[in-house]
Amino acid sequence: MLILTDSQKVKLSIAPVSAAGNPAQVESVAWAVSDSDILTLEVAEDGLSCDVLTTGSIGDAQVSVSADADLGDGVEELVGTLEISVVGGAAVALGIT
């Protein structure tokens, strides 16, 4: 699980590899977030990375990425998921009641 504060941004990336651990190609890469009230995504043009931005809300969400490992007409879907917990950041002001 990755823990971020309510004002952080982090870059995530994928590095597809073959069964032997060598770099491999994938196509049709798609990123998604389970709760857009907590996290938003800015996906890179090549699809291999994205910036994850917190929205200011706290809570838990998942970022998932899928890709097609079959470079031909078929589909062999690979899926990865990352749990992210967004917590309150450091105090920046005091409120008096």
Side-chain angles (χ1 to χ4, degrees):
M1 175 181 285
L2 179 62
I3 299 174
L4 301 175
T5 66
D6 56 4
S7 61
Q8 274 189 291
K9 170 180 164 179
V10 65
K11 181 177 283 298
L12 300 180
S13 61
I14 59 170
V17 294
S18 69
N22 296 309
Q25 292 184 333
V26 294
E27 55 189 18
S28 303
V29 179
W31 294 84
V33 63
S34 65
D35 190 338
S36 60
D37 290 334
I38 297 173
L39 301 171
T40 60
L41 302 176
E42 293 177 355
V43 179
E45 222 175 277
D46 66 3
L48 297 178
S49 66
C50 76
D51 289 330
V52 178
L53 296 89
T54 58
T55 63
S57 298
I58 59 173
D60 297 331
Q62 292 181 336
V63 172
S64 61
V65 61
S66 62
D68 180 8
D70 184 336
L71 301 181
D73 291 335
V75 175
E76 185 178 333
E77 187 177 48
L78 301 176
V79 178
T81 303
L82 177 64
E83 295 275 345
I84 299 179
S85 182
V86 179
V87 298
V92 296
L94 294 175
I96 301 174
T97 58

